[in-house]
Every structure is written in structure tokens, then in C-alpha cells.
């Protein structure tokens, strides 16, 4: 069977924010021992839908790649981390098939071997994940540009929701976003003027030491993100409970 990816967004009560932050470290050795978990990154998140530098200490995320869907099913049913997510203040989970992408994440290619999504289904929601390691000397320029792109992003047609994610508050940043269609995601990526200028600036200025960009077909979502499942009004497969 082909590999699949998943994305998990978990919010703890505000008083447990220090514990949620600590688990970004303590859960790492536990995840390293999960059978069939081929690739994973535990991530902090930005405040609200802000994709710039900053942090929401009570909310964390996980991006994962599984050898096959049965490995994810076993994790959801059996693993203590998944059980803890179900007791959190809020959690949202979605499975992902690959529509396209390129790049590496800390030297690895998590997109290799992923189950392909349906490229012909152009009117269905799309998830996009972008991440980069920003060179130290480009940090100030990147932060300025990130604020401008974030403003433009929130005016884009077809944006369903977005969260800033990252392995560190500065330097190793990413975004996970949901779009109403592949056309909407592409329109932002290739047509919004400030976003296009930033792409040119990153290339001309050699801002990134490493980057990755991927689009996915999201399916089998469950739980809530900011009080709702952002894909609930769209036809999706049912996720195992």
C-alpha cells in the first residue's frame, strides 16, 4: 500500500500551555518508536490564523507520514498520545493524499511514495503545506515580508483556514492552509502580487537554506479547529473514530 500523510492540530487548556510546550520535547522519543510512522515533525503554532513569527503556547501540531493507512488506524486506536488528543480542549485531524510538491524537510523527502490524490477533482478542497529554514542573515527581511504576505493571504479568495506552524519561533517556519479548490490555491501562489514579489526576493537573496512546498487532497477529517471542522461542508470520507 502507498504511504499517506496526516495533520493534527491540538489545543490544551490555557493553564496547561507549559505542559503542551514541554510535550514538543517529551513526545519525540515516543513517536520515534511508533510502528509504521515513517516521518514526523512535532510543531508549535502561531496565534490564531497569523502565519508570521509568534506563538500560541497552548496549541501544537503534528505532520506525519505513515507507511500505510493501517499504521495510522492503529495509532489512533491504541496509542496514548492519540488518546490524550481526544481529551484535549480541541483537536482536529485530517488525512492527506499528495497532489504535488517538492523540496526537503531537514534533509529528508517526506513526499516520496505518498498515495496520489485525484488531480481531476478541481472543485474539492486542497491543503497546502509550505516550510523553510530561513538563513540567519535573511531573518529581518523575511519577517518584514512575512507580515505583508500574511495580510495578502487573508484577503485571498477561496482561503478556508490557515495556521502558522514551525519547529522554532524563528528560522524554521511553515504554514498549513486549506483552500476551496486547487484553482484557489494556485491563484494565491501565482497571482497575488506581494506573494510573487516575495518569491522573487527569496530566490534573489538566497533567504532559505532548505524549503518544501506541497499540496494535498484532504480527506477523512474529524474534530474541530476553532470550534468547527473547516471541511464539514465539503464531501469527505469518514475518519475512523
Amino acid at each position: 500500500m502507498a504511504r499517506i500523510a496526516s495533520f493534527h492540530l491540538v489545543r490544551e487548556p490555557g493553564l496547561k500551555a507549559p505542559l503542551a510546550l514541554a510535550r514538543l520535547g517529551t513526545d519525540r522519543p515516543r513517536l520515534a518508536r511508533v510502528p509504521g510512522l515513517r516521518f514526523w515533525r512535532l510543531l508549535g503554532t502561531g496565534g490564531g490564523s497569523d502565519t508570521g513569527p509568534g506563538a500560541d503556547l497552548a496549541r501544537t501540531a503534528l505532520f506525519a507520514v505513515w507507511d500505510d493507512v493501517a499504521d495510522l488506524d492503529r495509532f489512533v486506536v491504541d496509542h496514548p498520545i492519540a488518546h490524550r488528543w481526544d481529551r484535549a480542549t480541541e483537536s482536529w485531524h485530517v488525512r492527506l493524499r499528495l497532489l504535488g510538491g517538492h523540496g526537503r524537510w531537514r534533509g529528508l523527502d517526506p513526499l516520496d511514495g505518498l498515495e496520489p490524490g485525484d488531480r481531476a477533482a478541481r472543485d474539492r478542497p486542497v491543503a497546502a503545506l509550505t516550510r523553510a529554514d530561513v538563513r540567519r542573515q535573511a531573518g529581518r527581511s523575511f519577517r518584514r515580508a512575512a507580515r505583508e504576505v500574511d495580510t495578502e493571504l487573508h484577503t485571498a479568495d477561496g482561503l478556508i483556514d490557515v495556521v502558522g506552524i514551525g519547529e522554532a519561533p524563528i528560522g524554521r517556519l511553515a504554514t498549513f492552509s486549506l483552500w476551496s479548490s486547487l484553482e484557489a490555491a494556485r491563484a494565491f501562489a501565482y497571482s497575488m502580487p506581494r506573494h510573487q514579489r516575495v518569491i522573487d526576493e527569496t530566490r534573489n537573496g538566497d533567504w532559505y537554506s532548505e524549503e518544501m512546498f506541497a499540496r494535498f487532497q484532504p480527506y477523512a477529517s474529524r474534530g474541530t479547529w476553532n470550534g468547527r471542522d473547516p471541511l464539514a461542508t465539503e464531501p469527505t470520507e469518514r475518519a475512523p473514530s
Side-chain angles (χ1 to χ4, degrees):
M1 295 182 66
R3 296 174 182 169
I4 68 160
S6 63
F7 181 75
H8 312 265
L9 193 61
V10 181
R11 175 174 293 284
E12 299 289 352
L15 292 176
K16 290 188 177 181
L19 181 58
L21 188 63
R23 283 170 174 160
L24 290 176
T26 59
D27 280 349
R28 293 178 190 275
R30 303 176 76 185
L31 289 169
R33 297 191 295 269
V34 173
L37 183 52
R38 174 64 55 173
F39 175 94
W40 54 270
R41 290 290 182 264
L42 272 171
L43 305 157
T45 73
S49 61
D50 187 353
T51 62
D56 179 346
L57 301 183
R59 187 174 64 176
T60 58
L62 172 71
F63 175 75
V65 174
W66 307 84
D67 279 334
D68 63 54
V69 69
D71 294 312
L72 174 54
D73 288 341
R74 281 191 293 271
F75 176 81
V76 169
V77 171
D78 297 332
H79 202 278
I81 290 178
H83 294 172
R84 189 182 72 223
W85 289 345
D86 289 335
R87 298 191 301 270
T89 298
E90 183 176 57
S91 64
W92 185 76
H93 315 271
V94 67
R95 301 176 182 212
L96 305 165
R97 299 185 180 108
L98 184 65
L99 293 174
H102 58 84
R104 304 183 78 80
W105 198 328
R106 306 296 297 280
L108 301 175
D109 180 4
L111 308 179
D112 182 45
L114 280 177
E115 181 178 349
D118 183 2
R119 294 173 180 267
R122 294 181 175 273
D123 58 342
R124 293 183 182 176
V126 168
L129 191 153
T130 64
R131 57 86 48 187
D133 286 350
V134 182
R135 299 185 191 277
R136 182 175 299 178
Q137 62 269 28
R140 181 176 297 179
S141 297
F142 175 84
R143 288 191 294 272
R144 169 188 51 78
R147 290 297 184 193
E148 296 172 358
V149 171
D150 181 73
T151 299
E152 190 174 68
L153 170 66
H154 285 86
T155 69
D157 291 338
L159 178 67
I160 298 173
D161 221 328
V162 61
V163 60
I165 53 178
E167 296 168 90
I170 298 174
R172 293 177 178 169
L173 302 177
T175 63
F176 180 87
S177 56
L178 294 172
W179 299 84
S180 60
S181 66
L182 183 59
E183 284 74 14
R186 284 176 170 168
F188 171 73
Y190 301 118
S191 300
M192 299 295 272
R194 183 55 186 138
H195 187 248
Q196 277 299 295
R197 288 197 299 272
V198 169
I199 290 175
D200 292 340
E201 289 173 13
T202 62
R203 291 172 179 168
N204 295 336
D206 194 25
W207 288 7
Y208 302 152
S209 60
E210 185 184 61
E211 61 182 309
M212 190 186 86
F213 171 78
R215 293 194 185 102
F216 301 95
Q217 178 185 356
Y219 74 101
S221 62
R222 67 181 180 91
T224 62
W225 175 351
N226 292 333
R228 78 195 201 289
D229 181 347
L231 299 176
T233 59
E234 305 292 344
T236 59
E237 300 171 28
R238 180 177 176 81
S241 58

